[in-house]
Amino acid sequence: MSKINRLRKTATHGAIGGLAGFIAEYGLEAATGTDFVNGVFEIAGATLGIVNANKDLIQQAYRSVVQVTGKEPKDLTNDEWEVVREKYPKAVEYLERALALQ
C-alpha cells in the first residue's frame, strides 16, 4: 500500500472514529443526563479508528518479533527489545504504541 493511500485510510478511519465517539458521547449524555468530559469519546474513537486502519502493520511487527525472539512481545525483557529494535526499528515502534493502548 502506498504512503498516500495509507495516509488517506488512516485519516478516514480516524475521522470516522472521532465522529462515532462524538455521537456516542452526546447520545449517552442525552440518555443518562450525565455530563461527560468533552472530547474523551472523540479521542478514543479516533485512536481506535487509526489503530484499526493500521492493524496490518501491527500484525506484521508482531510476527517479526516472534520470529526473532520466539516470545510474545509483552513478555520480552529490555535487552530482548533492544535486539529486536536493532533488526526491526519500525516494528518495535509500532508494537510499543500498540502495547501502550492496552
Side-chain angles (χ1 to χ4, degrees), residues 54-67 69 71-74 76 81 84-85 88-102:
N54 294 297
K55 66 184 173 188
D56 61 318
L57 294 175
I58 295 168
Q59 291 167 343
Q60 182 180 359
Y62 169 83
R63 286 190 297 273
S64 298
V65 170
V66 171
Q67 179 185 11
T69 64
K71 290 182 171 181
E72 294 285 321
K74 64 182 177 72
L76 296 179
W81 268 118
V84 176
R85 187 185 314 274
Y88 301 109
K90 281 291 196 189
V92 170
E93 180 182 334
Y94 293 137
L95 284 173
E96 286 175 337
R97 288 182 189 170
L99 290 171
L101 293 175
Q102 289 185 350

Side-chain angles (χ1 to χ4, degrees), residues 19-59:
L19 180 61
F22 175 80
I23 292 168
E25 179 177 323
Y26 286 99
L28 284 172
E29 285 179 350
T32 63
T34 305
D35 186 28
F36 293 103
V37 176
N38 290 336
V40 172
F41 284 88
E42 290 92 334
I43 293 169
T47 303
L48 290 175
I50 290 168
V51 168
N52 185 49
N54 294 297
K55 66 184 173 188
D56 61 318
L57 294 175
I58 295 168
Q59 291 167 343

